[in-house]
């Protein structure tokens, strides 16, 4: 009987292919211990990329709600609950999704997290958490064609056309209320609403339903005798005609270079080192450097903050000198005009 976190046949089955046994993919040796990849963010990303490279599988960081999905957090939260199979069996994907605090408009988060974990982290989990060996394993809990999170939902749609002001010269084309209610299906979801299909009599209509936390102003009343006036929604401004106002710093090459904070100096130093060590992983540098900054002691951080204060004094000094030169130059031009 196996001990520890080793995988068992009841958790997963061997993934077989139609090719010869010699071409069946097998799990590599663990690139690090599970405890180490959980604690060390840099080690996790390094081993995960190497793992996919060894298996020759595609690896891309998913984006949900406009932000990159933190695969390290996803791996930690799933493995601390017993791994992929146990989270599926005990239906804890919603609990895992709550850790990420997705926006209210992000729908089917549980389904998306499960899909990305299966594609990017399942085999990694088998090796580093369960110490799996031999041919690749296939999870017993797989997606079904009619997954609840992807099935169509019924939608009760009420539509009221915009009210238009009619005069005696332009009578209303119909009497009574112009709103109606219909039942349709939700074909898809996105951040701002739903794609719906509604059947009205023998006609099938496809459309988009938008939802907003702050309903907009009512549409303007149209007067056919008045000139057409463009309508601007509240909170939106017209673009100013002409060129944008440029800052003096962009126009004048003699303008002093703005100061940088202590964190900026720390970032530049660490970024240079990381780029030489990991030239193809720049997308993770910001997160890694931010965590390194948070882990600095007060004394270590003070070194960079002192450099930032010195640079701020430098900028203020050069800015005062620059302004003095402008003042003297303007005074000289005035004297020339007087003469």
């Amino acid at each position: 009987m196996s001990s520890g976190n080793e995988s068992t046949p009841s958790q997963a089955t061997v993934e077989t292919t139609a090719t010869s046994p010699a071409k069946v993919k097998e799990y590599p040796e663990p690139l690090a211990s599970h405890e180490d990849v959980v604690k060390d963010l840099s080690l996790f990303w390094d081993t995960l990329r190497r793992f996919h490279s060894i298996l020759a599988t595609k690896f891309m960081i998913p984006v949900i709600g406009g932000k990159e999905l933190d695969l390290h957090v996803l791996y930690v939260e799933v493995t601390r609950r017993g791994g992929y199979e146990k989270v599926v069996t005990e239906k804890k994907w919603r609990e895992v999704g709550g850790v990420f605090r997705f926006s209210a408009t992000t729908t089917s988060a549980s389904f998306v997290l499960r899909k990305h974990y299966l594609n990017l982290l399942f085999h990694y989990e088998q090796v580093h958490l369960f110490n799996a060996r031999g041919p690749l394993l296939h999870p017993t809990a797989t997606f079904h064609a009619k997954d609840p999170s992807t099935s169509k939902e019924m939608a009760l749609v009420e539509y009221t056309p915009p009210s238009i002001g009619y005069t005696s010269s332009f009578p209303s084309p119909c009497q009574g209320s112009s709103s109606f209610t219909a039942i349709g299906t939700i074909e898809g979801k996105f951040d701002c609403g739903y794609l719906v299909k509604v059947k009205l009599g023998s006609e099938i209509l496809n459309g988009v339903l938008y939802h907003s936390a702050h309903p907009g102003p009512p549409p303007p009343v149209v007067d056919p005798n008045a000139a057409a006036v463009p309508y601007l929604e509240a909170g939106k401004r017209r673009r100013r005609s002409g060129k944008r106002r440029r800052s003096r710093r962009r126009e004048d090459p003699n303008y002093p270079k703005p100061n940088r904070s202590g964190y900026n100096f720390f970032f530049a130093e660490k970024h240079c080192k990381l780029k030489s060590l990991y030239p193809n992983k720049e997308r993770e540098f910001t997160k890694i450097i931010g965590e390194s900054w948070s882990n600095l002691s007060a004394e270590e951080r003070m070194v960079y903050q002192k450099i930032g204060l010195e640079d701020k004094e430098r900028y203020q000094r050069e800015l005062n000198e620059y302004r003095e030169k402008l003042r003297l130059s303007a005074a000289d031009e005035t004297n020339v005009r007087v003469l």
Side-chain angles (χ1 to χ4, degrees), residues 105 190-194 209-212:
T105 57
F190 58 99
D191 286 351
C192 300
Y194 305 91
L209 286 180
Y210 291 96
H211 59 74
S212 174

Side-chain angles (χ1 to χ4, degrees), residues 106-178:
T106 302
T107 58
S108 303
S110 300
F111 174 77
V112 173
L113 290 177
R114 177 179 170 182
K115 180 186 72 172
H116 289 314
Y117 192 94
L118 180 61
N119 293 336
L120 301 172
L121 296 170
F122 175 75
H123 294 305
Y124 182 87
E125 169 200 285
Q126 294 300 310
V127 171
H128 295 86
L129 179 62
F130 296 112
N131 299 317
R133 298 291 185 273
L136 301 188
L137 302 175
H138 190 72
T140 56
T142 57
F143 288 107
H144 300 286
K146 294 184 178 181
D147 190 280
S149 56
T150 57
S151 60
K152 296 180 181 179
E153 303 174 23
M154 298 301 294
L156 183 65
V157 182
E158 181 174 356
Y159 173 71
T160 304
S163 59
I164 301 178
Y166 295 99
T167 63
S168 57
S169 302
F170 294 86
S172 171
C174 59
Q175 301 295 329
S177 173
S178 58

Side-chain angles (χ1 to χ4, degrees), residues 243-256 258 322 326:
K243 297 181 179 180
R244 291 183 177 180
R245 182 180 178 182
R246 295 183 178 179
S247 65
R248 186 181 296 275
R249 178 167 62 87
R250 292 184 179 180
E251 295 177 352
D252 192 347
N254 296 322
Y255 192 90
Y322 174 81
L326 289 181

Side-chain angles (χ1 to χ4, degrees), residues 14-27 55 134-137:
V14 176
E15 183 177 313
T16 58
T17 61
T19 59
S20 60
K23 294 184 178 180
V24 173
K25 290 183 179 179
E26 294 190 354
Y27 284 126
L55 292 182
L136 301 188
L137 302 175

Side-chain angles (χ1 to χ4, degrees), residues 3-8 11-12 25-38 44 47-48 50-52 54-55 57 75 79 82-84 117 120-138:
S3 60
N5 288 327
E6 292 187 0
S7 178
T8 62
Q11 291 176 312
K25 290 183 179 179
E26 294 190 354
Y27 284 126
E29 291 293 323
L31 302 176
S33 69
H34 171 70
E35 292 73 17
D36 288 341
V37 297
V38 167
F44 168 80
T47 54
L48 182 61
R50 287 165 55 197
F51 184 83
H52 280 279
I54 293 172
L55 292 182
T57 51
Y75 176 77
T79 54
Y84 175 86
Y117 192 94
L120 301 172
L121 296 170
F122 175 75
H123 294 305
Y124 182 87
E125 169 200 285
Q126 294 300 310
V127 171
H128 295 86
L129 179 62
F130 296 112
N131 299 317
R133 298 291 185 273
L136 301 188
L137 302 175
H138 190 72

Side-chain angles (χ1 to χ4, degrees), residues 15 41 90 185 289:
E15 183 177 313
L41 177 65
E90 298 181 0
T185 57
I289 296 173

